[in-house]
Amino acid sequence: MGFSFLCFVIQRLIINIDCILCWCIQDIEFVWEWQLVELLINNCSMAEMIGPRLYSCCNCRNQIALHDDVISKSFQGRNGRAILFSHAMNIMIGPKEDRQLMTGLHTVADVYCCDCREVLGWKYERAFEETQKYKEGKFILEKSKIVIENW
């Protein structure tokens, strides 16, 4: 009698869970259909609804750079891997200084978050070697100092 009662209880639980899942799925489908209708009406993409993929300061979540501005993810920063960006925003740029880096002598300026003053990387102001000139005006942001958002 105990085993058959247990089977009955489990069966009822499964039926209840199934009903709850059906309601949840119906709600999700309704929301999804509504979002698709909005997309068609507004003639915009899902990416526009979510917003741009971007990088933020790991300390205060201030928006620092757009994913579209990534040039290369294979750079080395002071504390590990870094990303080269064509543009950065919401930053402060420190004084210029000559620095011997792995790829030669460069004039660089440290880059700080304008909200929390965290050092995020540096800006290449001048490259002395001809093969490194493409870096001028670009930004190195250290992966350990930024977080990815809207992915």
Side-chain angles (χ1 to χ4, degrees), residues 35-57:
Q35 287 176 341
L36 288 176
V37 168
E38 284 182 354
L39 285 174
L40 293 173
I41 290 171
N42 297 330
N43 196 21
C44 63
S45 68
M46 184 63 92
E48 289 172 335
M49 280 184 64
I50 296 170
R53 296 188 305 174
L54 48 89
Y55 295 84
S56 300
C57 172

Side-chain angles (χ1 to χ4, degrees), residues 55 57 60-65 88-92 111-116 120:
Y55 295 84
C57 172
C60 68
R61 295 296 197 265
N62 186 17
Q63 297 176 354
I64 301 297
M89 57 190 168
N90 300 321
I91 58 166
M92 296 183 326
V111 171
Y112 304 86
C113 172
C114 69
D115 281 352
C116 69
L120 303 172

Side-chain angles (χ1 to χ4, degrees), residues 46-111:
M46 184 63 92
E48 289 172 335
M49 280 184 64
I50 296 170
R53 296 188 305 174
L54 48 89
Y55 295 84
S56 300
C57 172
C58 69
N59 194 39
C60 68
R61 295 296 197 265
N62 186 17
Q63 297 176 354
I64 301 297
L66 299 173
H67 177 70
D68 291 345
D69 292 332
V70 171
I71 296 172
S72 174
K73 293 183 177 182
S74 59
F75 273 73
Q76 190 67 28
R78 286 183 182 159
N79 304 309
R81 306 214 19 110
I83 303 173
L84 181 67
F85 289 89
S86 59
H87 301 93
M89 57 190 168
N90 300 321
I91 58 166
M92 296 183 326
I93 299 174
K96 297 176 186 176
E97 64 180 62
D98 289 345
R99 205 177 284 168
Q100 186 67 38
L101 303 174
M102 291 173 61
T103 55
L105 184 63
H106 297 271
T107 302
V108 298
D110 285 336
V111 171

Side-chain angles (χ1 to χ4, degrees), residues 5-19:
F5 178 73
L6 183 62
C7 288
F8 172 77
V9 170
I10 291 173
Q11 216 173 21
R12 296 309 263 168
L13 285 172
I14 290 172
I15 290 170
N16 288 337
I17 289 171
D18 192 37
C19 289

